[in-house]
């Protein structure tokens, strides 16, 4: 088995400040959290940016550059930049971070879907919200379609290939694996690929162990086990740790982070992304799986190296 690649997804664009006071929002907070997550054992950090004033997700290129540069100066960790964007953005706006930063890794969302957290508003009173945009944003997701049509996916493939950025293929359901196979057959993606099985999003596949095993069997059949590496995201608690444990046992890789889950144990908020990373490191240790350093992860995934990024 490969050594375990741990990814820390630091802030996301869906987690709300009302959910946890520990969500990093400003570039400095995101950089600090990335450094601590790397020290705890993360080989890769997945970044989104937020408006430093409002905590609202932003795709402002300068904020992305500030975060990526700040992390690079302090930690030898792979930076996986989002191309997920925010509601209302075109594919061109979402992908511009790739030519701008030429990162080693960037997310590539492998199909369109509903993607919502609107039921969460039932948990909070109006006075709980930290920012005025939060409740409306969560409710608005009820009508949101996360659009990743074939034309857009082709465009993302080209942009990533031209910039030497490896796609981190986010598959939120079994059909997305078939979309990936289509792109491979069209010669738009090259083996070996790096796939995330993302479970537990409202709009995608669930987080039962059988769901992940079905994703894995399907990927084996479509791609061939030798042609891909995989990791798992179980959104929410306890899915995050249950499915990371499954991946550790099955030879996959693990993602944690406040983008996906805010609890370190039942009802206990994680105080940082590093705390979530440390828990996976402990589980892997108990199960005898060694942790990959960033350079070992680069070798496993075939990344170009941090000397070839544009930040
Ligand atoms: N925009 C969200 C619905 C990613 O990082 O690429 C999902 C997202 C995933 O942004
Ligand atoms: Zn993300």
């Amino acid at each position: 088995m490969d050594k375990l690649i741990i990814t820390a997804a630091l802030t996301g664009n869906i987690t709300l400040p009302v959910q946890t006071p520990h969500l990093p929002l400003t570039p400095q907070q995101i950089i600090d959290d990335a450094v601590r997550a790397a020290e705890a054992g993360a080989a890769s950090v997945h970044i989104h940016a937020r408006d430093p004033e409002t905590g609202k997700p932003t795709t402002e290129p300068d904020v992305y550059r500030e975060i990526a540069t700040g992390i690079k100066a302090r930690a030898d960790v792979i930076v996986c930049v989002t191309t997920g964007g925010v509601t209302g953005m075109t594919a061109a706006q979402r992908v511009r971070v790739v030519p701008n930063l030429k990162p080693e890794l960037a997310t590539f969302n492998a199909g369109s879907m509903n993607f919502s957290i609107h039921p969460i508003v039932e948990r909070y009173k109006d006075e709980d919200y930290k920012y005025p945009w939060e409740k409306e944003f969560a409710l608005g997701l009820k009508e949101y379609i996360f659009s990743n049509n074939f034309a857009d996916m082709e465009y993302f493939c080209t942009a990533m290939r031209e910039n030497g950025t490896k796609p981190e293929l986010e598959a939120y359901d079994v059909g997305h694996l078939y979309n990936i196979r289509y792109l491979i057959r069209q010669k738009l993606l090259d083996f070996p690929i790096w796939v995330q099985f993302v479970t537990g999003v409202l709009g995608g596949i669930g987080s039962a162990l059988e769901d992940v095993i079905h994703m894995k069997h399907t990927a084996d059949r479509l791609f061939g086990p030798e042609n891909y590496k995989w990791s798992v995201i179980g959104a929410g608690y306890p899915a995050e740790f249950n499915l990371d444990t499954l991946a550790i046992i099955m030879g996959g890789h693990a993602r944690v982070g406040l983008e996906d889950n805010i609890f370190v144990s039942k009802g206990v908020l994680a105080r940082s992304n590093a705390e979530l990373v440390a828990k996976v490191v402990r589980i892997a240790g108990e199960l005898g799986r060694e942790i990959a350093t960033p350079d070992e992860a680069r070798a496993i995934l075939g990344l170009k190296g941090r000397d070839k990024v544009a930040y």
Side-chain angles (χ1 to χ4, degrees):
M1 263 188 209
D2 293 326
K3 290 189 181 178
L4 181 71
I5 301 170
I6 300 174
T7 299
L10 304 173
T11 188
N13 58 8
I14 295 284
T15 310
L16 302 175
V18 69
Q19 292 177 258
T20 171
H22 307 296
L23 191 66
L25 300 175
T26 67
Q28 195 56 53
Q29 288 169 344
I30 294 169
I31 294 164
D32 289 344
D33 248 38
V35 173
R36 285 196 294 260
E39 286 167 356
S44 176
V45 290
H46 166 56
I47 62 166
H48 291 248
R50 290 178 183 257
D51 183 318
E53 302 295 319
T54 65
K56 198 171 178 181
T58 176
T59 56
E60 187 50 55
D62 288 349
V63 187
Y64 274 89
R65 180 168 292 283
E66 183 181 351
I67 294 168
T69 307
I71 294 171
K72 189 182 179 195
R74 290 175 52 199
D76 173 25
V77 66
I78 298 161
V79 175
C80 173
V81 183
T82 188
T83 64
V86 293
T87 50
M89 285 178 72
T90 63
Q93 289 167 327
R94 283 167 50 186
V95 86
R96 66 185 168 182
V97 70
V98 171
N100 280 352
L101 300 180
K102 303 189 190 302
E104 293 181 81
L105 267 181
T107 59
F108 182 111
N109 293 282
S112 301
M113 60 188 293
N114 295 337
F115 196 125
S116 191
I117 57 163
H118 65 272
I120 208 172
V121 299
E122 287 160 25
R123 293 189 208 160
Y124 302 103
K125 298 198 274 298
D126 283 353
E127 56 270 32
D128 293 336
Y129 291 96
K130 196 168 164 192
Y131 298 101
W133 59 267
E134 292 183 74
K135 184 174 179 184
E136 198 187 330
F137 174 85
L139 286 172
L141 289 171
K142 195 169 184 177
E143 294 179 25
Y144 176 53
I145 293 176
F146 186 27
S147 176
N148 298 286
N149 60 42
F150 284 107
D152 291 346
M153 287 194 284
E154 280 187 29
Y155 184 61
F156 277 54
C157 288
T158 306
M160 294 200 193
R161 190 177 265 170
E162 282 174 0
N163 290 284
T165 297
K166 181 145 187 154
E168 180 175 286
L169 300 160
E170 317 292 336
Y172 301 81
D173 218 323
V174 183
H176 294 179
L177 299 174
Y178 286 84
N179 293 349
I180 294 168
R181 184 179 65 164
Y182 164 79
L183 296 168
I184 289 165
R185 286 182 165 172
Q186 294 299 307
K187 305 204 181 315
L188 289 158
L189 291 174
D190 306 306
F191 284 140
I193 53 174
W194 171 229
V195 184
Q196 281 277 5
F197 303 145
V198 189
T199 75
V201 170
L202 183 58
I205 199 168
S207 293
L209 301 185
E210 290 85 348
D211 290 319
V212 174
I213 290 167
H214 182 47
M215 295 281 271
K216 168 76 169 63
H217 284 170
T218 307
D220 282 349
R221 192 162 47 77
L222 297 182
F223 311 136
E226 68 287 3
N227 287 322
Y228 78 104
K229 302 289 180 187
W230 63 281
S231 172
V232 70
I233 300 169
Y237 184 90
E240 177 161 278
F241 295 107
N242 288 349
L243 298 190
D244 281 348
T245 304
L246 184 71
I248 290 167
I249 295 166
M250 291 176 69
H253 300 275
R255 172 164 134 171
V256 290
L258 297 171
E259 172 166 348
D260 310 325
N261 162 51
I262 58 173
F263 296 109
V264 69
S265 55
K266 191 168 182 205
V268 180
L269 290 175
R271 282 163 301 172
S272 67
N273 282 288
E275 200 178 2
L276 298 168
V277 173
K279 180 161 173 171
V280 176
V281 169
R282 286 199 301 278
I283 295 169
E286 290 296 327
L287 295 170
R289 184 102 183 258
E290 286 183 77
I291 308 299
T293 64
D295 275 345
E296 288 168 339
R298 288 182 177 102
I300 292 166
L301 299 179
L303 305 185
K304 63 181 175 180
R306 73 201 278 261
D307 54 329
K308 297 194 178 57
V309 299
Y311 57 86

